[in-house]
Amino acid sequence: MDLRLLSIATLLGILCFCSAQQEGSDCIKANAQSCGECIQVAEKCGWCTDIDFLKQGESKSARCDELQSLITKGCTKAKIENPRGSTSINKNKAVTNRKKDMAEKLKADQITQIQPQKLTLNLRSGEAQTFKLKFKRAEDYPIDLYYLMDLSFSMKDDLENVKNLGTDLMREMKEVTSDFKIGFGSFVEKTVMPYISTTPARLLNPCTSTNNDTCTSPFSYKNVLKLTENGKEFNSLVSKQQISGNLDSPEGGFDAIMQVAVCGDAIGWRNVTRLLVFSTDAGFHFAGDGKLGGIVLPNDGKCHLENNMYTMSHYYDYPSIAHLVQKLSDNNIQTIFAVTEEFQPVYKELKNLIPKSAVGTLSSNSSNVIKLIIDSYNSLSSEVILENGKLPEGVSITYKSICKNGWVGTGENGRKCSNISIGDEVSFEIAIKSEKCPPQGKSETITIKPLGFTENVEIVLNFICECECSKDGKPLSEMCHNGNGTFECGACRCNEGRIGRLCECSTDEVRTDDLDANCRKDNGTDICSNNGDCVCGTCECKKRENPEERYSGKFCECDNFNCDRSSNKLCGGHGRCECRVCICDANYTGSACDCSLDTSTCLAANKQICNGRGTCECGVCKCTNPKFQGPTCEICPTCSGVCAEHKDCVQCRAFDTGEKKDTCERDCSYFNLIRVKDRDKLPQPADQSYPLSHCKERDANDCWFYYTYAVRNHTEREVYVVDTLECPAGPDIIPIVAGVVAGIVLIGLALLLIWKLLMIIHDRREFAKFEKEKMNAKWDTGVNPIYKSAVTTVFNPKYEGK
């Protein structure tokens, strides 16, 4: 089981190692033929401009590698092209600290809520540029509010409550802003069947005759009042509005929202906070529903108002939700859906699809509409969400938000901050990265803006697609084979149709047999030793996944990774591999440079090489007599002299006795002493990787002591000693006396038992003999033979007992 686990761990290690190599070889694998191509591979790639950098058999693409690898191969830092990206701020107007009670009122275009306003980013492929945006919600910011109302018959009682909305809402909004405008629009439905009845009578009055109500003709969308500061004008115009009617339950509100969003001049939108209140008690039609009325043209998203009436409802289909989202976002409009409780679930789902929108519950007669608007506005304005324009191909952007109370958001949450009060300042860290250069390397411009706000940040993206050294390139250079290329950044960039390190070949000549013959060593069959490609009659060696490993030579017959190894190190770590042969460092020799020529490690204490008992080979003593061991052949485990040699020093250091007691510190400090409790704690030869001697010695008191002697790491001497002496003990009187007494008592008891047993056997035999004689007696044992009775009894034989 352990072997299997070890095998799996080894395999995983190899895979991880190979993966790491693979990751580190992106620059080489790209096969870049110029500096510009190289720096677009990854931010870690550099290009060596040194003319003499390439070795024989290496292609131009070998100039493109990781920086440290290029330096290792001999390219100086001054000769490496490695341009970096940068960020510069072009417009950085501070956010406005506006107060509501200030005497001087600022115009909307004088208020700044986001900083900075314009940046320029120089992007290198794979390298992200990060910058910070600040957002501060200004106090007393102007607001435009457009009230879009459903005027189908079911909203009759609601219209009565909206007629005074203008002045009442003006009064309430004064608490929020001193610059407020309000407008009004209404909608019903497309003016075709089956949405409305097209009979002449119903076109004039779509309301049922049983209600005796007079309704206005049905219409799609009507802009009743352009945005105005006059609340009374709002009340006056709204009070003149009449209810209309349609046939089906869903309404054509999406047509109206589209026109409100795109008809900015007709509505009167300013570059301020724009609110659209959409009031209805029904659902909505969307893209595709127009087919019921024979309308198949998609909504074009353009303004079609004539005399403030939408005139193309019969021609264009309803807009899709995505189309509405785009137009509302483009025009910075925040939507408030004021709908009855019955349709709350539908419009909440719609809210999730439309950023910066809110849903409020409208009472059955719209009596709570002002509170609903105020609450929804506060909800919308307390959240800032960043949105960017369309990104160029290959460009990505990430956001990180730093909101109130230190809350940090990443991913999709990095775009927004919530619970922002007036005067609060939040920030965003934005990183933009390009994975490739656009065609012709043209600059691109993108914008980032808070949803629902007119302000935005303009970002100019410049792409680093070429190296600085390419500006000094020499077209039609003689260094590139008769002017067949441009000499730039230390190498030739070949003209179209040319190839090779010096553009010496045309693409039509690359694989001919005549040229291939120049790539075969000794007229063999292998082209470039199977380690390269023949390009223009010259071998260009293959690249290895590990950038440190490479083929070389005229025929790619050499490499720097197939030399002998020692201790799993190429050339033992004491040399370099050149053309599959180790070139050893000084003082090392051998095919794997694993043999040291230094003899200092073989010197014994007596300054002799291996104590005169062996030879020094590769810095290690080889003892000529096999019974000697140790780094300098000083140990003989089978010789009796090892234990006797160190006996006195062990005795004096461990027990402070012996002949060297007085000179112990001077003569016996050459080893490390380790004490153990008993003999089982002494090291055993089988557990050690170095020679070990077990010793048992007797002192002057006939006491035995035990120890081991060994040399670790060729120089460190160790002695393990049992810290208790084993001395012969004298006779113990008490156990002896007790044993004699106990023996006597036991013997006595045994004799008594034997005598008793013999007596029992004898008595039983006598009694058996008596019983036998008794049985043999001829007289009745019940009559005394000596006694004679005086009475004689005679029986009458004729007497019958009568």
Side-chain angles (χ1 to χ4, degrees):
M1 185 65 180
D2 293 339
L3 183 61
R4 290 175 61 190
L5 290 175
L6 180 61
S7 301
I8 293 172
T10 304
L11 180 60
L12 288 175
I14 293 172
L15 290 174
C16 292
F17 177 72
C18 293
S19 176
Q21 286 186 333
Q22 186 73 19
E23 291 176 359
S25 64
D26 290 343
C27 305
I28 290 180
K29 288 172 59 179
N31 199 32
Q33 298 297 308
S34 67
C35 186
E37 291 181 15
C38 179
I39 63 174
Q40 293 181 49
V41 175
E43 61 172 322
K44 60 186 176 182
C45 300
W47 177 270
C48 183
T49 62
D50 189 350
I51 298 176
D52 302 322
F53 172 71
L54 296 181
K55 296 179 175 58
Q56 189 176 29
E58 289 186 317
S59 63
K60 279 188 298 185
S61 60
R63 293 182 178 275
C64 183
D65 206 342
E66 295 183 26
L67 304 185
Q68 188 56 48
S69 181
L70 290 174
I71 295 172
T72 302
K73 292 178 182 178
C75 190
T76 60
K77 288 185 178 180
K79 294 284 188 179
I80 297 177
E81 280 286 319
N82 182 34
R84 313 311 300 176
S86 61
T87 300
S88 58
I89 299 176
N90 307 115
K91 187 177 180 181
N92 194 28
K93 185 179 178 182
V95 292
T96 303
N97 293 316
R98 186 189 189 197
K99 298 296 183 183
K100 188 175 179 180
D101 55 356
M102 291 176 62
E104 182 183 356
K105 296 296 182 182
L106 298 176
K107 296 181 180 179
D109 56 1
Q110 296 176 313
I111 300 173
T112 302
Q113 297 184 108
I114 192 166
Q115 177 190 5
Q117 294 79 42
K118 185 175 182 179
L119 303 96
T120 299
L121 272 58
N122 296 315
L123 297 178
R124 177 180 169 180
S125 296
E127 181 186 21
Q129 293 299 315
T130 303
F131 57 93
K132 181 176 284 190
L133 290 184
K134 289 196 299 184
F135 179 85
K136 185 176 183 180
R137 184 181 163 197
E139 185 177 350
D140 196 28
Y141 195 74
I143 299 174
D144 285 352
L145 187 147
Y146 191 84
Y147 196 90
L148 182 59
M149 186 174 180
D150 177 7
L151 285 189
S152 60
F153 189 80
S154 59
M155 294 287 286
K156 180 179 179 181
D157 54 345
D158 299 81
L159 180 60
E160 294 299 321
N161 284 308
V162 174
K163 288 180 179 179
N164 295 319
L165 177 65
T167 53
D168 295 342
L169 189 57
M170 281 283 184
R171 182 175 60 254
E172 293 293 335
M173 292 300 288
K174 288 296 183 183
E175 300 295 324
V176 178
T177 177
S178 60
D179 189 355
F180 177 70
K181 285 188 176 185
I182 188 170
F184 184 82
S186 59
F187 66 92
V188 181
E189 187 54 277
K190 287 184 181 295
T191 55
V192 296
M193 282 288 289
Y195 312 108
I196 66 169
S197 175
T198 56
T199 59
R202 288 296 183 91
L203 283 175
L204 292 175
N205 182 10
C207 301
T208 59
S209 58
T210 56
N211 293 326
N212 295 320
D213 289 316
T214 302
C215 297
T216 187
S217 299
F219 57 91
S220 177
Y221 163 67
K222 182 194 302 182
N223 178 29
V224 178
L225 175 65
K226 187 176 181 178
L227 289 165
T228 179
E229 297 177 350
N230 191 341
K232 292 182 180 179
E233 182 182 2
F234 179 95
N235 293 349
S236 174
L237 284 174
V238 173
S239 63
K240 297 177 183 178
Q241 299 305 305
Q242 287 182 308
I243 291 295
S244 185
N246 62 313
L247 295 179
D248 60 344
S249 175
E251 315 292 4
F254 277 14
D255 273 343
I257 294 176
M258 177 62 75
Q259 294 304 301
V260 172
V262 298
C263 299
D265 293 337
I267 304 300
W269 291 119
R270 299 177 294 168
N271 286 329
V272 297
T273 298
R274 298 174 176 179
L275 299 179
L276 169 62
V277 180
F278 182 83
S279 175
T280 184
D281 64 349
F284 49 83
H285 285 294
F286 55 91
D289 289 355
K291 292 181 180 180
L292 296 173
I295 303 172
V296 295
L297 284 178
N299 194 288
D300 65 349
K302 295 180 181 179
C303 183
H304 297 287
L305 292 185
E306 293 182 12
N307 297 323
N308 287 321
M309 296 290 289
Y310 180 40
T311 59
M312 301 297 286
S313 68
H314 65 287
Y315 190 75
Y316 289 116
D317 193 6
Y318 301 99
S320 66
I321 295 175
H323 201 179
L324 274 184
V325 170
Q326 178 193 348
K327 293 301 181 181
L328 290 172
S329 175
D330 290 345
N331 293 280
N332 305 307
I333 296 174
Q334 304 176 63
T335 310
I336 300 172
F337 295 104
V339 297
T340 55
E341 187 173 1
E342 179 185 357
F343 288 93
Q344 282 283 308
V346 175
Y347 282 90
K348 283 184 178 179
E349 290 295 327
L350 182 61
K351 167 189 173 296
N352 295 332
L353 300 175
I354 302 179
K356 291 292 281 186
S357 62
V359 176
T361 304
L362 188 69
S363 62
S364 59
N365 58 4
S366 299
S367 59
N368 67 331
V369 68
I370 292 180
K371 183 178 184 304
L372 184 153
I373 292 173
I374 297 295
D375 291 345
S376 298
Y377 168 73
N378 290 332
S379 174
L380 290 172
S381 60
S382 67
E383 182 178 52
V384 58
I385 302 174
L386 294 187
E387 180 189 52
N388 54 268
K390 184 179 179 181
L391 297 174
E393 185 179 357
V395 175
S396 61
I397 186 169
T398 57
Y399 294 86
K400 177 183 176 183
S401 58
I402 299 94
C403 306
K404 287 178 64 176
N405 303 320
W407 188 87
V408 176
T410 56
E412 282 303 309
N413 290 328
R415 292 175 174 265
K416 60 185 179 182
C417 282
S418 303
N419 300 320
I420 302 174
S421 303
I422 293 175
D424 287 342
E425 183 176 291
V426 296
S427 61
F428 298 85
E429 290 182 3
I430 302 173
I432 298 180
K433 182 166 69 172
S434 172
E435 296 298 340
K436 63 178 182 179
C437 279
Q440 290 82 43
K442 292 182 179 179
S443 296
E444 299 280 355
T445 301
I446 63 173
T447 57
I448 297 177
K449 68 175 183 178
L451 282 175
F453 295 86
T454 57
E455 299 174 72
N456 62 49
V457 179
E458 182 182 342
I459 303 172
V460 179
L461 304 179
N462 296 322
F463 301 91
I464 302 174
C465 301
E466 287 292 344
C467 300
E468 284 293 322
C469 59
S470 63
K471 296 179 180 178
D472 301 325
K474 298 178 181 178
L476 307 178
S477 172
E478 287 299 320
M479 298 183 70
C480 301
H481 196 269
N482 301 324
N484 286 319
T486 300
F487 189 78
E488 62 181 34
C489 302
C492 287
R493 177 181 283 192
C494 298
N495 296 337
E496 187 175 354
R498 304 297 296 185
I499 199 169
R501 282 176 60 172
L502 300 177
C503 310
E504 66 272 25
C505 233
S506 72
T507 54
D508 298 332
E509 302 171 345
V510 172
R511 291 292 180 185
T512 64
D513 293 338
D514 291 340
L515 293 175
D516 285 351
N518 296 326
C519 298
R520 295 188 178 97
K521 183 180 180 182
D522 300 330
N523 294 324
T525 58
D526 293 336
I527 295 178
C528 300
S529 305
N530 290 327
N531 295 324
D533 298 317
C534 188
V535 180
C536 301
T538 303
C539 284
E540 288 193 0
C541 302
K542 294 178 181 177
K543 302 177 185 65
R544 301 276 296 176
E545 290 183 354
N546 185 347
E548 301 300 325
E549 299 177 355
R550 57 185 179 273
Y551 295 105
S552 60
K554 181 179 179 181
F555 302 101
C556 302
E557 74 277 12
C558 296
D559 62 61
N560 66 342
F561 53 86
N562 270 326
C563 291
D564 290 342
R565 295 175 178 267
S566 178
S567 301
N568 203 29
K569 294 181 180 178
L570 192 66
C571 297
H574 302 300
R576 65 185 186 279
C577 181
E578 292 187 3
C579 204
R580 303 185 181 183
V581 176
C582 284
I583 307 300
C584 299
D585 298 338
N587 291 330
Y588 284 93
T589 187
S591 62
C593 300
D594 55 349
C595 184
S596 174
L597 300 178
D598 186 9
T599 59
S600 60
T601 55
C602 297
L603 286 177
N606 57 10
K607 303 303 180 182
Q608 289 186 338
I609 298 293
C610 302
N611 273 304
R613 300 166 180 159
T615 58
C616 187
E617 297 180 10
C618 301
V620 178
C621 281
K622 300 294 183 181
C623 304
T624 53
N625 191 332
K627 72 177 183 178
F628 287 98
Q629 300 176 4
T632 56
C633 302
E634 77 280 13
I635 299 174
C636 180
T638 60
C639 300
S640 59
V642 175
C643 295
E645 180 183 353
H646 305 289
K647 168 188 172 183
D648 292 337
C649 282
V650 174
Q651 187 177 355
C652 78
R653 288 189 59 182
F655 306 106
D656 199 23
T657 59
E659 296 180 3
K660 292 188 177 182
K661 176 181 177 181
D662 298 330
T663 60
C664 191
E665 185 176 351
R666 183 190 67 191
D667 299 337
C668 301
S669 59
Y670 59 87
F671 59 82
N672 295 328
L673 184 72
I674 299 105
R675 299 175 183 271
V676 297
K677 294 295 183 182
D678 51 55
R679 291 168 62 183
D680 294 338
K681 302 296 183 182
L682 291 174
Q684 301 301 316
D687 300 332
Q688 309 301 323
S689 59
Y690 45 85
L692 179 72
S693 298
H694 272 266
C695 299
K696 176 182 178 183
E697 296 294 334
R698 190 198 303 260
D699 64 6
N701 297 322
D702 286 337
C703 294
W704 294 96
F705 59 94
Y706 298 88
Y707 65 94
T708 62
Y709 178 81
V711 180
R712 184 196 296 268
N713 298 328
H714 304 301
T715 56
E716 185 179 351
R717 293 171 170 82
E718 282 186 352
V719 172
Y720 282 79
V721 62
V722 179
D723 59 3
T724 55
L725 294 169
E726 190 177 293
C727 299
D732 194 346
I733 302 300
I734 294 176
I736 293 174
V737 172
V740 171
V741 171
I744 294 172
V745 171
L746 290 174
I747 292 171
L749 289 174
L751 292 174
L752 286 174
L753 290 173
I754 293 171
W755 174 81
K756 180 64 176 175
L757 181 60
L758 292 174
M759 291 302 296
I760 291 172
I761 294 172
H762 178 266
D763 288 346
R764 286 183 176 178
R765 285 179 176 176
E766 289 296 323
F767 181 74
K769 185 178 179 181
F770 169 76
E771 287 293 329
K772 184 178 180 182
E773 291 179 352
K774 182 179 177 182
M775 292 297 294
N776 293 331
K778 296 182 179 180
W779 41 266
D780 187 2
T781 56
V783 179
N784 190 343
I786 301 174
Y787 174 74
K788 295 292 186 179
S789 174
V791 178
T792 302
T793 302
V794 179
F795 292 94
N796 185 2
K798 297 294 186 176
Y799 178 69
E800 296 180 353
K802 295 181 180 180

